[in-house]
Amino acid sequence: TPTGLATGTWSQVGTTPSVATILSSSSATTAVQDLVPGIYQFVWTITGTPGCLLTTDTVQVIIDTMPNTPFVTGRNILCVD
């Protein structure tokens, strides 16, 4: 979290598997929308601290696909509309 004159910004690395929407790019804790299955990387960059180098941290987010076929065990009843 930036202190003093510093500011932080989230950005997406690349544009695949899709361009994500970062809801509050200047907040250290934010939400991301418009994700499709795949692997995403986001970078938190802190700038503006006098006498300090640029500071970054990268996180990876993996969105899995939903299974196509329901899996049922035992004596369960599955109703599909």
Side-chain angles (χ1 to χ4, degrees):
T1 303
T3 59
L5 300 174
T7 58
T9 305
W10 282 107
S11 59
Q12 180 178 351
V13 177
T15 58
T16 58
S18 71
V19 176
T21 301
I22 302 170
L23 297 182
S24 182
S25 64
S26 62
S27 173
T29 57
T30 189
V32 180
Q33 293 181 164
D34 303 322
L35 302 175
V36 298
I39 300 172
Y40 297 82
Q41 289 188 338
F42 298 95
V43 177
W44 175 245
T45 304
I46 298 176
T47 59
T49 303
C52 293
L53 298 175
L54 183 75
T55 302
T56 64
D57 197 6
T58 303
V59 297
Q60 180 170 290
V61 176
I62 300 172
I63 306 297
D64 285 331
T65 58
M66 294 295 293
N68 292 332
T69 306
F71 179 72
V72 181
T73 61
R75 294 188 50 120
N76 297 309
I77 298 173
L78 178 64
C79 299
V80 178
D81 292 337

